[in-house]
Amino acid sequence: MKTTILLFFILFSVTVLGSNKQEKSNISGVVYENVRGYKIPLSLASIQCKGTTIGTFSEKTGDFELDLPEGKYTVTFSFAGYKPVKKELKIKKNKKIYLEVTLEDNTGFAQN
């Protein structure tokens, strides 16, 4: 009897927890910096979704990846010394989005 109750509890838990799982969509891309008119991959740029705790940093190659549930988001790309870029995204479940974002120098000085 105890085994039957335990088995029922485990199956019920798996079913309930599995059904509450939100389907997410993949957002990926590359963050660049503009150097004398050339796009150079920018590592460690911050990628944050406004109003959430969801975020990441770009890799050495400028690549980034986020998984977001369905909804509307403002995603901000930033790095010290560069003007932040905001993108408004409408996420649909199980859809992939690819972005290329270029950050511009914010120092007020012309690049050599």
Side-chain angles (χ1 to χ4, degrees), residues 9-10 14 33 38 44 51 55 59 83 100:
F9 178 73
I10 291 171
V14 169
E33 62 178 313
Y38 294 97
L44 297 177
E59 297 177 12
K83 296 175 189 171
E100 289 188 1

PDB file of all heavy atoms in Angstrom, residues 9-10 14 33 38 44 51 55 59 83 100:
ATOM      1  N   PHE A   9       2.117   9.410  -5.879  1.00  0.00           N
ATOM      2  CA  PHE A   9       2.633  10.738  -5.572  1.00  0.00           C
ATOM      3  C   PHE A   9       3.722  11.151  -6.568  1.00  0.00           C
ATOM      4  O   PHE A   9       3.734  12.275  -7.060  1.00  0.00           O
ATOM      5  CB  PHE A   9       3.181  10.783  -4.143  1.00  0.00           C
ATOM      6  CG  PHE A   9       3.771  12.108  -3.781  1.00  0.00           C
ATOM      7  CD1 PHE A   9       2.958  13.206  -3.543  1.00  0.00           C
ATOM      8  CD2 PHE A   9       5.148  12.269  -3.701  1.00  0.00           C
ATOM      9  CE1 PHE A   9       3.509  14.437  -3.216  1.00  0.00           C
ATOM     10  CE2 PHE A   9       5.701  13.496  -3.379  1.00  0.00           C
ATOM     11  CZ  PHE A   9       4.883  14.585  -3.140  1.00  0.00           C
ATOM     12  N   ILE A  10       4.617  10.248  -6.881  1.00  0.00           N
ATOM     13  CA  ILE A  10       5.697  10.546  -7.828  1.00  0.00           C
ATOM     14  C   ILE A  10       5.135  10.837  -9.212  1.00  0.00           C
ATOM     15  O   ILE A  10       5.510  11.826  -9.854  1.00  0.00           O
ATOM     16  CB  ILE A  10       6.733   9.400  -7.871  1.00  0.00           C
ATOM     17  CG1 ILE A  10       7.501   9.333  -6.551  1.00  0.00           C
ATOM     18  CG2 ILE A  10       7.699   9.574  -9.046  1.00  0.00           C
ATOM     19  CD1 ILE A  10       8.393   8.124  -6.401  1.00  0.00           C
ATOM     20  N   VAL A  14       5.368  14.526 -11.162  1.00  0.00           N
ATOM     21  CA  VAL A  14       6.003  14.656 -12.470  1.00  0.00           C
ATOM     22  C   VAL A  14       5.031  15.242 -13.479  1.00  0.00           C
ATOM     23  O   VAL A  14       5.371  16.122 -14.262  1.00  0.00           O
ATOM     24  CB  VAL A  14       6.555  13.287 -12.954  1.00  0.00           C
ATOM     25  CG1 VAL A  14       6.978  13.362 -14.403  1.00  0.00           C
ATOM     26  CG2 VAL A  14       7.714  12.858 -12.066  1.00  0.00           C
ATOM     27  N   GLU A  33      31.350  45.910 -31.891  1.00  0.00           N
ATOM     28  CA  GLU A  33      31.695  47.306 -31.659  1.00  0.00           C
ATOM     29  C   GLU A  33      32.099  47.894 -33.002  1.00  0.00           C
ATOM     30  O   GLU A  33      32.614  47.188 -33.874  1.00  0.00           O
ATOM     31  CB  GLU A  33      32.823  47.449 -30.637  1.00  0.00           C
ATOM     32  CG  GLU A  33      34.131  46.808 -31.049  1.00  0.00           C
ATOM     33  CD  GLU A  33      35.238  47.003 -30.042  1.00  0.00           C
ATOM     34  OE1 GLU A  33      35.429  48.142 -29.569  1.00  0.00           O
ATOM     35  OE2 GLU A  33      35.913  46.016 -29.732  1.00  0.00           O
ATOM     36  N   TYR A  38      34.416  49.427 -39.037  1.00  0.00           N
ATOM     37  CA  TYR A  38      34.438  47.965 -39.103  1.00  0.00           C
ATOM     38  C   TYR A  38      33.730  47.374 -37.888  1.00  0.00           C
ATOM     39  O   TYR A  38      33.900  47.867 -36.766  1.00  0.00           O
ATOM     40  CB  TYR A  38      35.883  47.436 -39.154  1.00  0.00           C
ATOM     41  CG  TYR A  38      36.614  47.815 -40.409  1.00  0.00           C
ATOM     42  CD1 TYR A  38      37.461  48.912 -40.428  1.00  0.00           C
ATOM     43  CD2 TYR A  38      36.449  47.076 -41.572  1.00  0.00           C
ATOM     44  CE1 TYR A  38      38.133  49.279 -41.579  1.00  0.00           C
ATOM     45  CE2 TYR A  38      37.119  47.427 -42.726  1.00  0.00           C
ATOM     46  CZ  TYR A  38      37.954  48.528 -42.730  1.00  0.00           C
ATOM     47  OH  TYR A  38      38.607  48.883 -43.881  1.00  0.00           O
ATOM     48  N   LEU A  44      32.020  40.129 -23.586  1.00  0.00           N
ATOM     49  CA  LEU A  44      31.552  40.572 -22.275  1.00  0.00           C
ATOM     50  C   LEU A  44      30.600  41.757 -22.302  1.00  0.00           C
ATOM     51  O   LEU A  44      30.456  42.484 -21.315  1.00  0.00           O
ATOM     52  CB  LEU A  44      32.732  40.851 -21.331  1.00  0.00           C
ATOM     53  CG  LEU A  44      33.595  39.629 -21.012  1.00  0.00           C
ATOM     54  CD1 LEU A  44      34.771  40.030 -20.144  1.00  0.00           C
ATOM     55  CD2 LEU A  44      32.777  38.549 -20.343  1.00  0.00           C
ATOM     56  N   GLY A  51      12.948  44.555 -16.673  1.00  0.00           N
ATOM     57  CA  GLY A  51      11.867  44.076 -15.823  1.00  0.00           C
ATOM     58  C   GLY A  51      11.948  42.607 -15.453  1.00  0.00           C
ATOM     59  O   GLY A  51      11.008  42.055 -14.902  1.00  0.00           O
ATOM     60  N   GLY A  55      19.300  37.571 -18.230  1.00  0.00           N
ATOM     61  CA  GLY A  55      20.370  38.278 -18.906  1.00  0.00           C
ATOM     62  C   GLY A  55      21.569  37.377 -19.115  1.00  0.00           C
ATOM     63  O   GLY A  55      21.608  36.246 -18.635  1.00  0.00           O
ATOM     64  N   GLU A  59      30.091  36.275 -25.548  1.00  0.00           N
ATOM     65  CA  GLU A  59      31.315  35.481 -25.442  1.00  0.00           C
ATOM     66  C   GLU A  59      32.472  36.203 -26.138  1.00  0.00           C
ATOM     67  O   GLU A  59      32.291  37.286 -26.695  1.00  0.00           O
ATOM     68  CB  GLU A  59      31.082  34.111 -26.078  1.00  0.00           C
ATOM     69  CG  GLU A  59      30.015  33.309 -25.367  1.00  0.00           C
ATOM     70  CD  GLU A  59      29.732  31.984 -26.043  1.00  0.00           C
ATOM     71  OE1 GLU A  59      30.503  31.575 -26.937  1.00  0.00           O
ATOM     72  OE2 GLU A  59      28.732  31.354 -25.675  1.00  0.00           O
ATOM     73  N   LYS A  83      27.408  53.493 -26.251  1.00  0.00           N
ATOM     74  CA  LYS A  83      25.991  53.832 -26.133  1.00  0.00           C
ATOM     75  C   LYS A  83      25.185  52.540 -26.095  1.00  0.00           C
ATOM     76  O   LYS A  83      25.357  51.676 -26.955  1.00  0.00           O
ATOM     77  CB  LYS A  83      25.539  54.666 -27.328  1.00  0.00           C
ATOM     78  CG  LYS A  83      26.206  56.014 -27.420  1.00  0.00           C
ATOM     79  CD  LYS A  83      25.796  56.735 -28.687  1.00  0.00           C
ATOM     80  CE  LYS A  83      26.634  57.984 -28.878  1.00  0.00           C
ATOM     81  NZ  LYS A  83      26.413  58.599 -30.193  1.00  0.00           N
ATOM     82  N   GLU A 100      21.922  40.902 -34.773  1.00  0.00           N
ATOM     83  CA  GLU A 100      23.275  41.445 -34.802  1.00  0.00           C
ATOM     84  C   GLU A 100      23.165  42.880 -34.321  1.00  0.00           C
ATOM     85  O   GLU A 100      22.390  43.666 -34.869  1.00  0.00           O
ATOM     86  CB  GLU A 100      23.866  41.393 -36.212  1.00  0.00           C
ATOM     87  CG  GLU A 100      24.200  39.996 -36.653  1.00  0.00           C
ATOM     88  CD  GLU A 100      24.968  39.942 -37.969  1.00  0.00           C
ATOM     89  OE1 GLU A 100      25.267  41.006 -38.548  1.00  0.00           O
ATOM     90  OE2 GLU A 100      25.266  38.823 -38.404  1.00  0.00           O
TER      91      GLU A 100
END
